Amino acid sequence: MKLLINGTPHELPAHATLADAVAHLGIAPPFAAAINLQFVPNTQYHQTPLHQADRIDLIAPVTGG
């Protein structure tokens, strides 16, 4: 299936989950994840299915002053 991860097109297998998308991108914690602007708790990544054309945002915290 085709979807956007952080605004960039990616293709993942059918029945992929949010955990698969995180692994695909190789992002390391800490970060927050949202699908179509809805944040998903990290305990739900493996149970959250993705759908064609979903928009996934993986957001790392910014530190500094």
Side-chain angles (χ1 to χ4, degrees), residues 17-52:
T17 65
L18 182 55
D20 295 323
V22 169
H24 176 77
L25 205 61
I27 189 170
F31 61 87
I35 300 174
N36 301 323
L37 303 178
Q38 296 292 314
F39 281 99
V40 178
N42 62 358
T43 56
Q44 299 297 312
Y45 290 177
H46 288 280
Q47 293 85 27
T48 303
L50 299 177
H51 302 90
Q52 179 76 13

Side-chain angles (χ1 to χ4, degrees), residues 3-7 12 17-18 21 33-36 50 54-58:
L3 39 78
L4 291 177
I5 303 176
N6 289 347
L12 292 177
T17 65
L18 182 55
I35 300 174
N36 301 323
L50 299 177
D54 273 348
R55 176 183 163 187
I56 300 166
D57 293 301
L58 303 175

